[in-house]
């Protein structure tokens, strides 16, 4: 009987790489499929049928046994430069700095020199900066689980952040609680395909008549504030900047075209998590606390363990306020509900190598421009949050 993992339905693998990391014979390699997502492949010649890869898989073995009474907070990093350059309130920089002060190691998602998203480590405050900002691409975890374990076993303090499925994979791989490990998960809509990201980067280079990308900011707050999703890409021939209505990459992500099959049936969308701390955006901060609503970004925090609370209480140079849990998680659909598969999703990936893919799926027309103008107007006038709930209805009026 075959005891190794055998993925027949792609929605049953989130690509966490726990199986690859646990394999005692290095018989598992993570290989991209035709959609650009990594899946484990078994080298039968090396495999000894020990079954460890099956036992470690967080989808086959859910281990959520969290009895901690959760607490929720709103958070801002008082370092304005940091907050401007973070997705929301700059929480990961604050926690990272604390870990580094304690001589620990921080892991998170960063761009490499070719703007490929990979998990990496930081040991200094300067290195920490690469983890700022959400990268809307599935991150390649490489051998980071093994590195984490080696450091934990040496007694080093380690902090690791990732999507809920990545954190569940790491926790299963470690298979024991370490006092010197702090786990942070992000609230996760879904993760887009690295292959589509490559296609998009080439599209931008062509559009800008450029040869090199210099910087990518998926959540640029500088023009229209924190609440308007806007992507800005600096190239060696100028800067590209578009919002969620007109940029094809954001449209593919938020329209649920370009995402991993497991995200349509996510097993990790629960209120309680295996992490110590869960972080996410807070676009409706004006409804929660007007004193925090400066349009520079606020992070919502859900504390999932005593350890998480202990670390939160040690943070310095921050603005923090406890809020009731029902307020913190009100209308946070992405916490408990998977995204709906776009009916064109499979066709989109069938056409992924077409030269005209982006223009045919995401044309820019009067409707998209109008949507964009409405959102920008609302952002500039500070009415975005108020109208967010009614935006789809407003768009229908103009159709
Ligand atoms: C793919 C993705 C989907 C998200 N979906 C939602 C959502 O539906 N709703 C919501 O409220 N928030 C979502 N977030 C989280 C949110 O964008 C911010 O991470 C959160 O607001 C914290 O902001 P911050 O300023 O405190 O964090 P920052 O200090 O900016 O730190 C960013 C953190 O995110 C991690 N990270 C960045 N990119 C990735 C990645 N590709 N994979 C794994 N970890 C990554 C970094 O390691 C770091 O810990 C998503 C983030 C990502 C990456
Ligand atoms: S069964 Fe054991 S040896 Fe075979 S791939 Fe899985 S972990 Fe590796
Ligand atoms: S979910 Fe993770 S552990 Fe399970 S098969 Fe996929 S990569 Fe391996
Ligand atoms: S939606 Fe679920 S499966 Fe997809 S990346 Fe997020 S946590 Fe993982």
């Amino acid at each position: 009987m075959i005891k190794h993992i055998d993925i027949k339905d792609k929605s049953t693998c989130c690509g966490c790489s726990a199986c690859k990391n646990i394999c005692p014979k290095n018989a598992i390699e993570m290989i991209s499929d035709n959609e650009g997502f990594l899946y484990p492949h078994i080298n039968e010649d090396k495999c000894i049928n020990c079954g460890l890869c099956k036992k470690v898989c967080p989808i086959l073995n859910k281990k959520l046994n969290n009895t901690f009474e959760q607490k929720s907070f709103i958070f801002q990093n008082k370092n304005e430069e940091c907050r401007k350059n973070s997705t929301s309130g700059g929480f990961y920089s604050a926690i990272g700095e604390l870990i580094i002060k304690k001589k620990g190691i921080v892991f998170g998602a960063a761009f490499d020199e070719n703007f490929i998203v990979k998990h990496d480590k930081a040991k200094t405050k300067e290195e920490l900066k690469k983890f700022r900002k959400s990268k809307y691409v599935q991150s390649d975890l490489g051998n980071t689980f093994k590195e984490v374990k080696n450091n934990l076993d040496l007694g080093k303090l380690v902090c690791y952040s990732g999507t809920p499925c990545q954190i569940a994979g790491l926790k299963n791989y470690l298979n024991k609680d370490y006092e010197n490990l702090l786990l942070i998960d992000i609230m996760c809509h879904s993760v887009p395909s690295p292959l589509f990201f490559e296609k998009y980067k080439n599209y931008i280079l062509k559009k800008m008549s450029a040869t090199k990308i210099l910087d990518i900011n998926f959540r640029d707050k500088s023009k229209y504030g924190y609440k308007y999703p806007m992507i800005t890409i600096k190239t060696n021939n100028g800067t590209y900047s578009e919002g969620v209505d007109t940029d094809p990459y954001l449209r593919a992500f938020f329209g649920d075209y370009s995402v991993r099959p497991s995200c349509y049936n996510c097993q990790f969308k629960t209120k309680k998590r295996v992490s110590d701390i869960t972080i996410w955006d807070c676009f409706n901060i004006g409804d929660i606390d007007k004193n925090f609503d400066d349009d520079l970004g606020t992070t919502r925090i859900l504390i999932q363990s005593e350890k998480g609370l202990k670390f939160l209480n040690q943070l310095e140079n921050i603005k923090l306020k406890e809020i009731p849990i029902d307020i913190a998680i009100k209308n946070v659909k992405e916490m408990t509900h998977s995204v709906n598969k776009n009916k064109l999703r499979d066709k989109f990936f069938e056409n992924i190598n077409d030269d005209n893919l982006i223009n045919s799926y995401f044309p820019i027309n009067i409707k998209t421009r109008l949507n964009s103008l409405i959102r920008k107007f609302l952002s500039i006038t500070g009415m975005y949050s108020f109208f967010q709930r009614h935006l789809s209805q407003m768009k229908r009026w103009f159709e």
Side-chain angles (χ1 to χ4, degrees):
M1 197 182 87
I2 295 172
K3 288 193 188 155
H4 62 65
I5 41 164
D6 182 17
I7 295 155
K8 296 212 164 63
D9 170 0
K10 286 192 170 166
S11 72
T12 61
C13 173
C14 60
C16 72
S17 83
C19 52
K20 171 201 140 106
N21 279 279
I22 200 91
C23 178
K25 292 289 165 188
N26 286 327
I28 303 185
E29 208 182 333
M30 299 298 287
I31 297 179
S32 282
D33 72 350
N34 54 355
E35 297 181 345
F37 295 108
L38 293 172
Y39 291 90
H41 284 250
I42 318 288
N43 180 337
E44 299 284 353
D45 294 338
K46 286 186 176 175
C47 173
I48 54 167
N49 227 15
C50 68
L52 281 177
C53 50
K54 233 176 174 171
K55 280 194 199 137
V56 82
C57 176
I59 289 192
L60 296 174
N61 309 278
K62 283 185 219 111
K63 290 185 186 160
L64 182 57
N65 181 23
N66 187 344
T67 53
F68 180 76
E69 198 179 321
Q70 291 166 304
K71 289 179 182 296
S72 47
F73 297 84
I74 43 176
F75 169 95
Q76 285 178 353
N77 197 316
K78 279 194 181 165
N79 176 342
E80 295 270 293
E81 180 268 334
C82 165
R83 200 148 58 96
K84 273 184 196 151
N85 289 306
S86 302
T87 320
S88 294
F91 178 78
Y92 206 57
S93 295
I95 205 88
E97 281 175 25
L98 176 67
I99 301 291
I100 279 167
K101 204 169 149 192
K102 289 174 182 281
K103 308 259 178 286
I105 305 175
V106 183
F107 288 82
F111 285 122
D112 76 359
E113 59 285 2
N114 296 315
F115 289 93
I116 293 171
V117 181
K118 293 179 175 170
H119 261 60
D120 199 358
K121 59 178 175 297
K123 292 182 179 172
T124 65
K125 258 173 89 169
E126 195 51 37
E127 285 174 350
L128 260 185
K129 289 183 181 167
K130 63 189 166 198
F131 302 142
R132 288 178 184 172
K133 294 184 195 144
S134 293
K135 289 96 186 164
Y136 291 146
V137 193
Q138 183 159 36
S139 172
D140 182 346
L141 301 182
N143 291 321
T144 53
F145 286 10
K146 276 187 187 151
E147 273 193 76
V148 167
K149 186 171 179 342
N150 290 342
N151 281 294
L152 289 172
D153 289 341
L154 287 171
K156 293 227 166 93
L157 176 61
V158 175
C159 177
Y160 197 101
S161 73
T163 60
C165 58
Q166 291 171 337
I167 299 301
L170 174 58
K171 188 103 182 180
N172 275 14
Y173 166 76
L174 294 170
N175 200 26
K176 74 173 204 192
D177 288 331
Y178 284 86
E179 250 329 287
N180 48 336
L181 172 67
L182 184 70
L183 294 173
I184 317 276
D185 69 346
I186 52 172
M187 195 65 71
C188 180
H189 178 267
S190 58
V191 281
S193 150
L195 175 61
F196 181 53
F197 188 48
E198 286 305 303
K199 305 273 174 200
Y200 172 72
K201 284 185 287 186
N202 288 332
Y203 161 87
I204 295 297
L205 286 175
K206 207 166 156 195
K207 194 177 174 73
M208 299 300 295
S209 307
T211 51
K212 203 170 165 35
I213 287 178
L214 305 176
D215 187 39
I216 302 179
N217 182 354
F218 285 97
R219 290 281 301 278
D220 185 4
K221 308 172 183 173
S222 65
K223 254 188 182 161
Y224 298 101
Y226 165 56
K227 289 156 199 159
Y228 180 68
M230 174 142 194
I231 188 164
T232 293
I233 301 180
K234 285 190 186 138
T235 74
N236 61 345
N237 194 32
T239 299
Y240 166 93
S241 208
E242 286 291 339
V244 67
D245 299 292
T246 42
D247 176 73
Y249 194 81
L250 296 181
R251 284 166 78 185
F253 177 35
F254 292 114
D256 306 324
Y257 291 81
S258 56
V259 310
R260 191 174 176 106
S262 56
C263 303
Y264 298 115
N265 183 23
C266 176
Q267 303 297 306
F268 308 93
K269 291 200 178 259
T270 48
K271 185 179 154 202
K272 289 211 168 187
R273 310 280 174 109
V274 296
S275 64
D276 298 296
I277 301 176
T278 302
I279 57 172
W280 75 107
D281 300 321
C282 193
F283 297 128
N284 65 332
I285 186 63
D287 301 335
I288 298 176
D289 189 329
K290 294 229 166 353
N291 289 326
F292 275 72
D293 190 13
D294 59 1
D295 214 17
L296 264 189
T298 301
T299 307
R300 258 186 279 209
I301 297 175
L302 201 51
I303 298 293
Q304 308 274 8
S305 71
E306 207 53 68
K307 200 201 295 177
L309 190 60
K310 193 182 96 191
F311 276 93
L312 182 76
N313 286 332
Q314 293 173 57
L315 295 181
E316 289 169 355
N317 198 27
I318 61 164
K319 189 171 165 185
L320 184 73
K321 184 181 172 186
E322 185 164 3
I323 56 169
I325 296 234
D326 55 332
I327 302 279
I329 65 170
K330 193 175 167 197
N331 296 327
V332 183
K333 216 176 149 214
E334 63 271 35
M335 172 176 259
T336 46
H337 290 68
S338 296
V339 292
N340 291 321
K341 185 171 166 178
N342 189 300
K343 59 181 190 303
L344 294 176
R345 189 255 179 214
D346 292 342
K347 196 96 200 117
F348 170 79
F349 275 109
E350 271 173 37
N351 301 140
I352 188 88
N353 293 315
D354 289 2
D355 289 342
N356 203 30
L357 175 86
I358 287 183
N359 290 331
S360 59
Y361 278 83
F362 308 106
I364 295 177
N365 50 32
I366 294 175
K367 189 178 139 196
T368 53
R369 284 277 171 224
L370 195 59
N371 287 343
S372 169
L373 277 174
I374 293 171
R375 268 192 229 256
K376 284 175 183 166
F377 171 76
L378 294 176
S379 299
I380 291 167
T381 53
M383 296 191 293
Y384 193 78
S385 300
F386 179 77
F387 279 97
Q388 217 166 15
R389 275 173 249 128
H390 308 288
L391 199 62
S392 49
Q393 193 189 343
M394 282 176 64
K395 280 192 278 181
R396 281 198 293 275
W397 295 342
F398 289 98
E399 275 170 6

